[in-house]
């Protein structure tokens, strides 16, 4: 605490009076009204102890409320905010040019991790100790699941309520600065998962301050964020200011935007386009690439088209169709939203799962204007396969969503023999998309990724517990088999088992590392879906993908299969020694894969 004056401001356009409660034994002082519904207080923080804790009293109502733009909530999301000076940290990344030495994320390797389960400690500082592992693997960008403050100690982070704060259980805002600085020191970019489409159910006080939400639009979580109604300008600035703050003050390189299709906005310029332009200006100012990665359900590349061409300007977007196609081929599951990916769906030419896989890898989406059974109508738009840079689509074998939304949180490892995971990894890591690995996938960790919470409100905790059980009861699961989201043991079961990395997981790790090395050698330029060729034999269950001078040949059948090459192949990688090469003839055991170059 420096003793230099501190100014604290809050937007409360409908308040008749505002007070600030300062210190551990709060001293209440009036706030000054300003233009545009803003209220402010200025004072000497040293007068209130080692830390300046504060909260707001709106029109005399008790208890005092935390700051909507709080940087730190050491007393939990219901308690006082703590002033945090982001300029105090001494950065050592002055030479940092951005992800991939300034080339940006496209074509690089993204690694999705959750701080709370990445290590037993579940903190940002503990995660720093494993950054060398990511370097060895070949990762370019580390994507952190949301760190915004949420209720309780443990959770996925998608019920955050203090969007400017860093969850205190992870170490608070200073720990995030230390993590980013350490990552940059090892050549790793950092992406932060942010949630702007809703706030969680406990600790959300925004409506007490102003019209942050509107009933003009609705989302799966209730009223939508007010992006186009009265007073929406300040709400939009709240979101855009949050994004640029992470990049400017915490040196974050990219943001992953959660479920952007739920950002309901009828403005002339959509929030995403405005955000993209703001981030572009900041990137020019800072002299390094700053990127936005959208989670979008729309199957429409307008999401990643520049704003100058009428698009929304995102750098890249998640492509769940890649996951669904791979998952269906590898596991045979065709329930729920996997239904169309097994082939033979209404309005689709593809009659089997391998044909679906071929379409997704050569045209970007299965649902590109075709009928979606799960959604009950036509969905998506076609991709310009000749000109569109396919690196703008993220491809993956699993994500926190696809694993965690299963009843028992089974990772792909629990559903497949190792050879099948080898096949899936080879296809997406050497395909045209920007690949993303879910933490632990690379060594086939045996830990599940379960849904867990630690709500302190007993009624809310019970509602979540019952809701989880009811969700899966309709799929034939007995209630007693569904892990209790509120149990600490559910989180603990989800922690990565690092001891497996150099034991049972060593061969899988070597496979992933070799694939990524091959990717770096062969794929370092814009990719186009039209350049990908996939040949599939449904009877023999043989699939061959040709891309960037490489051929990935896999046997998904139950019998040994032989493959005659036009010329002597150059073998880059063999999986499990289950492939033999004699002249121009390849023989693959079941679940074997070979990469030729």
């Amino acid at each position: 605490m420096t003793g230099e004056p501190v100014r604290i401001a809050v937007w409360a356009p409908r308040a008749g009076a505002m007070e600030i409660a300062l210190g551990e034994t709060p001293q209440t002082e009036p706030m000054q009204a300003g233009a545009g519904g803003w209220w402010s207080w200025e004072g000497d923080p040293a007068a209130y102890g080692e830390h300046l804790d504060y909260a707001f009293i709106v029109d005399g109502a008790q208890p005092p409320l935390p700051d909507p733009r709080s940087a730190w909530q050491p007393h939990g999301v219901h308690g006082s905010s703590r002033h945090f000076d982001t300029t105090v940290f001494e950065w050592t990344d002055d030479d940092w040019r951005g992800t991939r030495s300034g080339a940006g994320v496209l074509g690089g390797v993204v690694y999705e991790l959750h701080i709370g389960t990445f290590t037993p400690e579940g903190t940002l500082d503990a995660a720093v100790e494993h950054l060398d592992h990511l370097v060895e693997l070949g990762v370019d960008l580390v994507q952190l699941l949301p760190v915004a403050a949420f209720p309780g100690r443990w959770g996925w982070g998608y019920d955050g309520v203090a969007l400017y704060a860093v969850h205190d259980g992870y170490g608070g805002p200073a720990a995030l600065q230390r993590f980013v600085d350490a990552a940059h020191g090892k050549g790793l970019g950092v992406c932060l998962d942010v949630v702007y489409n809703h706030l969680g159910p406990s600790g959300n006080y925004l409506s007490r301050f102003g019209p942050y939400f509107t009933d003009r639009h609705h989302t799966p979580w209730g009223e939508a964020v007010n992006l186009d109604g009265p007073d929406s300008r300040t709400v939009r600035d709240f979101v855009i200011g949050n994004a640029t703050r992470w990049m400017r003050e915490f040196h974050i390189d990219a943001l992953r935007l959660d479920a952007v299709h739920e950002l309901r906005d009828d403005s002339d310029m959509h929030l995403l386009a405005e955000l993209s332009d703001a981030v572009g200006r900041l990137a020019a100012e800072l002299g390094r690439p700053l990127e936005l990665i959208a989670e979008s359900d729309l199957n429409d590349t307008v999401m990643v088209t520049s704003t100058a061409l009428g698009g929304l300007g995102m750098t890249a977007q998640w492509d769940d169709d890649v996951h669904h196609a791979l998952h269906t081929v590898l596991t045979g599951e065709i329930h729920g939203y996997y239904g169309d990916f097994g082939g033979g769906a209404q309005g689709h030419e593809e009659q089997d799962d391998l044909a679906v896989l071929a379409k997704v890898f050569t045209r970007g989406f299965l649902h590109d204007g075709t009928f979606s059974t799960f959604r009950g109508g036509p969905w998506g738009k076609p991709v310009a396969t000749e000109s569109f840079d396919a690196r703008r689509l993220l491809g993956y074998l699993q994500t926190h969503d696809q694993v965690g939304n299963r009843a028992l949180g089974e990772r792909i490892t629990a559903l497949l023999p190792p050879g099948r995971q080898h096949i899936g990894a080879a296809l997406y890591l050497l395909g045209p998309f920007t690949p993303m690995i879910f933490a632990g996938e690379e060594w086939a960790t045996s830990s599940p990724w379960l849904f867990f919470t630690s709500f302190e409100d007993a009624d809310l905790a019970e509602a979540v517990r019952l809701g989880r059980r009811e969700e899966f009861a309709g799929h034939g699961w007995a209630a007693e088999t569904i892990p209790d989201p509120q149990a600490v043991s559910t989180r603990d079961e989800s922690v990565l088992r690092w001891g497996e990395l150099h034991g049972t997981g060593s061969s899988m790790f070597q496979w992933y590392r070799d694939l990524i090395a091959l990717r770096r050698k062969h794929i370092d330029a814009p990719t186009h879906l039209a350049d990908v060729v996939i040949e599939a034999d449904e009877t023999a269950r043989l699939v061959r993908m040709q891309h960037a001078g490489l051929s990935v040949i896999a046997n998904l059948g139950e019998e040994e299969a032989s493959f005659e090459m036009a010329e002597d192949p150059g073998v880059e990688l063999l999986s499990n020694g289950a492939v033999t090469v004699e002249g121009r003839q390849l023989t693959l055991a079941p679940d074997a894969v070979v990469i030729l170059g």
Side-chain angles (χ1 to χ4, degrees), residues 243-298:
T244 55
R245 170 181 174 271
W246 293 122
M247 292 170 163
R248 182 189 297 276
E249 300 179 24
F250 290 82
H251 294 202
I252 294 293
D253 300 286
L255 299 176
R256 181 264 190 187
L257 308 176
D258 181 69
V260 297
H261 46 277
E262 298 297 348
L263 292 169
R264 307 299 175 84
D265 185 6
D266 292 334
S267 304
D268 290 339
M269 187 176 198
H270 193 282
L271 173 75
L272 292 177
E274 186 178 352
L275 174 60
S276 173
D277 286 350
V279 168
R281 290 190 296 270
L282 181 59
E285 175 189 336
L286 298 180
R288 59 185 176 90
L290 301 174
E291 301 176 296
L292 299 171
I293 301 172
E295 182 200 19
S296 172
D297 182 48
L298 303 178

Side-chain angles (χ1 to χ4, degrees), residues 1 8 20-27 41 45 48-55 72-75 79-83:
M1 191 67 65
I8 295 174
I20 188 169
L22 298 150
E24 293 183 9
T25 54
Q27 303 175 40
W41 171 90
Y48 302 95
E50 182 182 0
H51 299 287
L52 175 57
D53 290 348
Y54 67 97
W72 195 1
Q73 289 296 123
H75 309 293
S80 297
S81 302
R82 176 166 290 173
H83 173 69

Side-chain angles (χ1 to χ4, degrees), residues 157-174:
Y158 292 93
D159 52 9
V161 291
L163 301 190
Y164 279 66
V166 177
H167 184 53
D168 198 58
Y170 294 163

Side-chain angles (χ1 to χ4, degrees), residues 446-464:
S446 64
S447 61
W449 166 252
L450 298 162
F451 178 68
F452 54 90
T453 56
S454 55
F455 290 120
E456 295 158 341
D457 182 295
D459 291 339
L460 178 58
E462 184 61 16
V464 170

Side-chain angles (χ1 to χ4, degrees), residues 191-254:
C191 175
L192 192 60
D193 195 336
V194 290
V195 183
Y196 295 140
N197 48 48
H198 77 289
L199 268 69
S202 178
N204 175 9
Y205 299 109
L206 289 187
S207 293
R208 300 276 293 277
F209 289 92
Y212 282 90
F213 300 93
T214 176
D215 61 3
R216 296 180 68 249
H217 305 290
H218 290 272
T219 75
W221 308 282
E223 290 186 333
V225 176
N226 177 23
L227 300 176
D228 56 8
D231 287 318
S232 60
R233 178 67 265 165
T234 306
V235 179
R236 293 168 75 95
D237 290 342
F238 176 84
V239 173
I240 294 170
N242 179 271
T244 55
R245 170 181 174 271
W246 293 122
M247 292 170 163
R248 182 189 297 276
E249 300 179 24
F250 290 82
H251 294 202
I252 294 293
D253 300 286

Side-chain angles (χ1 to χ4, degrees), residues 515-537:
L515 288 173
I516 292 171
L518 263 184
R519 180 177 184 86
R520 284 187 167 176
K521 179 179 178 182
H522 290 271
I523 308 172
D524 191 26
T527 59
H528 301 102
L529 296 166
D531 296 331
V532 181
V533 176
I534 292 190
E535 301 168 336
D537 182 335

